[in-house]
Every structure is written in structure tokens, then in C-alpha cells.
Amino acid sequence: MVTNTPATRPANPRFSSGPCAKPPTWTLDALTDAPLGRSHRAAIGKDKLKAAIEGTREILGIPADYKIGIVPASDTGAVEMALWSLLGARKATMVAWESFGSGWVTDVVKQLKIDADVKTAEYGQIVDMAALDYDTDVVFTWNGTTSGVRVANGDVIPADREGLTICDATSAAFAMDLPWDKLDVTTFSWQKVMGGEAAHGMLILSPRAVERLENYTPAWPLPKIFRLTKGGKLIDGIFTGATINTPSMLCVEDYLFALDWAREVGGLEGLIARSTANAQAIWEFCDRHDWIANLAEDDATRSNTSVCLKFTDDRIADGAAFAKAVAKRLEAEDIALDIGAYRDAPAGLRIWCGATVETSDIEAMLPWLEWAFEAEIAAQAQAA
Ligand SMILES: Cc1ncc(COP(=O)(O)O)c(C=O)c1O
């Protein structure tokens, strides 16, 4: 039993699942080159936006014939744009195993009222991706941020599918291999694995998605911030840095810094290795302790970014209150901030392991987790 507080503290207690920790080398000075007070349509602004697009392509290995756009309203904006612009041309399959995926189901079924097959799984589990009909448009989340369950790989997605695959990859991009040939629409936001700033979404379109956009007009009206085509043609400017509306050049500068940092740590491979080392430290901690376990039931689908944990000790009387109390103790000690499970998820903890988190900080935090657990078990016994 641990009673004394551990000797080592994490240098950075930021383990939030979004906004996530800034890159370790980040300081506010990193933003001094931002073209503030200038038009984003001036050459200097457009060049920065283009560099953000092409830097994304370079680091993520996105094929040259895919379009990458910076769009309003963060990842939600990018997903909504895709759903409202593309769906309705054929039947849809909506796939969800946690809160964000469920949100997209609601949108498509209740708001757009599209004919859809809805496939869901409980928190900790995943829908059988091999059993889906890929001749329908399939909408899914690569990494369920609130359950810590991810798609293992894209092997089951057929190359010759007739439908589009629309993938919310916001907590996966830059930490997991994304099979671009299997993804027609991919979205993410800057504040997750790259530790960027919120507000802007990234929308990545395969040639087949562009073809759909240019040949299909939804039956419903589209507001200006969702519109990707004009006169039946893709608005190319969106994908070269002429954004639909005004972006924050401070956020763009910050993202450019994050892309530079990604190059320094070895590009995508380095980023994935950093995330996996972080998650591995937690997985091994779970293996060594019988009172805590990964929420993900199958090791092949456990996330290396949003690691979700559940307490499994049968002495715990009220699971939700216990998990909250442990998170509160760690927050009060400035050891781990914002690690409570997502509000709709089962009681437990969620520890962000994305690339900007240092493995040494995860390793320094874990003995404190044990300390907080023991302290709370003792407090519970005393109160009884
Ligand atoms: C899987 C997933 N989708 C969508 C969102 C919403 O992202 P944003 O706040 O960037 O719109 C989140 C945020 O955590 C997420 O994890």
C-alpha cells in the first residue's frame, strides 16, 4: 500500500484530451512570426495557410490527388460540412461506439433524416467493421475519444467500394496510421495530437469524394460556411489556402510551429512512436495492478491517444464518485489535470497520451495515480 507521496512529479501535468498539451518545445515566442493585423488574403497570409495545408500532406503522407482544406468550426465543422454536403446520394451506414460517433448518428438520422443503417457498440467495444456494407456511405470515428477504442486498421474496407467512407479522425490523426486509400473524407482539428489551437477544422477529400461533390446536390439548403462547390465545381481556393471565412493567423502560426516540431521528432513515425510509448506505460501499469483496467476490451482496438481506464476494485462503493475523487486529488496536487472520464462515458479516467505528452511525465504520474487510489480507498473506509 502506498501512503507517502511519490518523490517525482510530472514536469507537465497536462493530460487533457483536448485541448491537449502543447509540443514540449513550445513557448509563446513561437508565434512572433504570425502576420497579425494583415489580411489573410494578402500573399503572406495565403502562403502561411498553404504551408499549413502542404505541411499536413507531408507529415500525414496524404496522396497528391487528395484535397486538403482548412474550414471553420474545428473538427465538428469539418464533419458537419461533409455530412451535409455529401450524404443523401445513397443509403448511409452510421457507426458509433461512443459519444462523438453517436452525435453524428443523431445528426444524420434526426436532422438530415437520411435512410441509414445504424450500428452501435457499447463503451469499450467496437462495431464489427468487416460486417458493414461499403456500397453505402459509411460514417465512423477512427478513434473514439470518449471510450478509448479505435479502429485497428482499414484492411476490411474494400478498395472497390461504391459508397464513400467518411471518417472523423480528430483524435487519431498524427498518432495512428490512416489508410488514405480507404478513406474518402477525413477530418481532424489542430488541438489534439499536435497540441494546436482550436477553431479550425481540416477536411481531406479523396478524388471520389470530390466527384460526389461535383455531381450531387443535396435536397436541403447549405449555409455559406458548408458550401464546397460553386456551379457544380469544387471551390478550389478552399484547398489552396483561400479559406471560406476569416481564419486566425495566430492559430495558423501555432499549427505551423507544431508541424515543424513534428518534423523534428521524426515525422509521422516519430509521432506515432511517442503516443504508443505513452500508452504502453499505462497499459503496463494496468497489467501490474489488479484495481485498474483499460476500458477497451480488445487489445487490438485500445487507443494510443485517449487511454480510458476503469477501476475494478470491488471495495469501491460508488464508481463515479470514486473516479471523480481520484481525479480531484491528482488535480489538487497539480499532478494530472482534466483526466476525469468524459461526461457521457462510464465512470473512470481518461489520460491523453498523444504525441505532445512526454513519456517521462506519464511515468512520473502513474505512482501518483496509485497514491490517489490508495488514499481514496482509505478515505472511503473511514467514511463507512
Ligand atoms: C472524436 C471526436 N469528434 C469530434 C470532436 C469535436 O471536436 P471539435 O471540438 O474540434 O469540434 C471531438 C472532440 O474531442 C472528438 O474527440
Side-chain angles (χ1 to χ4, degrees):
M1 188 167 119
V2 180
T3 47
N4 294 328
T5 52
T8 309
R9 310 171 67 83
N12 185 357
R14 290 174 177 79
F15 301 109
S16 148
S17 292
C20 303
K22 307 297 284 179
T25 54
W26 184 91
T27 66
L28 261 180
D29 288 343
L31 309 183
T32 46
D33 272 352
L36 304 182
R38 294 290 315 275
S39 166
H40 60 294
R41 305 208 189 274
I44 186 170
K46 271 190 88 167
D47 285 351
K48 297 258 184 193
L49 288 157
K50 195 153 185 252
I53 289 172
E54 292 313 319
T56 302
R57 189 186 308 279
E58 171 206 328
I59 305 285
L60 290 179
I62 299 170
D65 58 350
Y66 278 45
K67 303 279 184 183
I68 306 173
I70 299 172
V71 302
S74 207
D75 180 65
T76 308
V79 175
E80 297 285 7
M81 251 175 137
L83 301 182
W84 288 69
S85 301
L86 291 162
L87 291 188
R90 55 177 58 226
K91 193 173 169 172
T93 302
M94 299 298 301
V95 187
W97 51 89
E98 52 82 63
S99 175
F100 286 102
S102 303
W104 308 140
V105 174
T106 303
D107 229 59
V108 167
V109 174
K110 295 218 170 114
Q111 297 292 325
L112 287 171
K113 299 188 173 31
I114 282 170
D115 178 21
D117 244 353
V118 178
K119 309 272 189 198
T120 59
E122 290 304 313
Y123 280 84
Q125 300 174 358
I126 194 166
V127 168
D128 180 2
M129 299 296 286
L132 305 180
D133 178 359
Y134 290 93
D135 290 339
T136 68
D137 292 331
V138 177
V139 180
F140 67 105
T141 303
W142 193 276
N143 181 74
T145 321
T146 66
S147 72
V149 173
R150 54 168 284 193
V151 175
N153 58 59
D155 294 356
V156 300
I157 301 174
D160 62 350
R161 63 193 174 277
E162 283 186 16
L164 299 178
T165 49
I166 299 178
C167 174
D168 173 357
T170 200
S171 55
F174 296 105
M176 303 175 198
D177 262 322
L178 295 172
W180 297 109
D181 58 332
K182 303 295 180 75
L183 302 176
D184 294 304
V185 178
T186 310
T187 67
F188 69 89
S189 54
W190 296 342
Q191 74 271 18
K192 292 277 200 253
V193 178
M194 296 296 266
E197 289 301 298
H200 301 86
M202 299 300 279
L203 179 67
I204 301 162
L205 304 175
S206 74
R208 293 180 61 242
V210 173
E211 189 191 346
R212 168 80 63 85
L213 281 169
E214 293 187 333
N215 290 290
Y216 164 69
T217 307
W220 43 83
L222 286 176
K224 178 177 171 180
I225 58 162
F226 280 8
R227 257 178 266 150
L228 293 165
T229 57
K230 192 172 178 193
K233 281 274 153 228
L234 193 72
I235 303 173
D236 235 17
I238 298 173
F239 303 92
T240 55
T243 47
I244 298 172
N245 65 339
T246 315
S248 158
M249 296 313 294
L250 202 58
C251 295
V252 171
E253 194 68 21
D254 185 79
Y255 182 57
L256 291 173
F257 173 85
L259 289 170
D260 276 343
W261 170 77
R263 290 180 187 102
E264 282 164 26
V265 298
L268 183 59
E269 219 177 293
L271 296 167
I272 293 174
R274 287 176 63 88
S275 297
T276 304
N278 290 338
Q280 185 74 37
I282 301 182
W283 298 336
E284 286 171 11
F285 180 84
C286 290
D287 289 343
R288 290 196 302 273
H289 297 88
D290 58 6
W291 46 265
I292 194 157
N294 215 298
L295 189 59
E297 289 175 13
D298 176 0
D299 285 359
T301 65
R302 61 189 177 180
S303 173
N304 64 345
T305 56
S306 59
V307 175
C308 293
L309 303 172
K310 59 184 176 188
F311 292 104
T312 54
D313 191 305
D314 52 19
R315 287 172 295 174
I316 297 169
D318 177 340
F322 186 90
K324 269 195 189 135
V326 168
K328 199 171 156 197
R329 279 180 194 271
L330 293 170
E331 183 140 353
E333 293 284 345
D334 206 27
I335 293 297
L337 307 177
D338 312 318
I339 62 161
Y342 190 71
R343 58 178 187 262
D344 301 334
L349 302 176
R350 179 176 57 162
I351 301 166
W352 183 254
C353 286
T356 55
V357 171
E358 298 276 32
T359 307
S360 55
D361 286 338
I362 295 276
E363 285 168 347
M365 178 272 295
L366 289 169
W368 284 88
L369 173 54
E370 183 164 12
W371 164 82
F373 168 78
E374 297 289 2
E376 204 43 47
I377 286 283
Q380 189 192 266
Q382 215 163 34

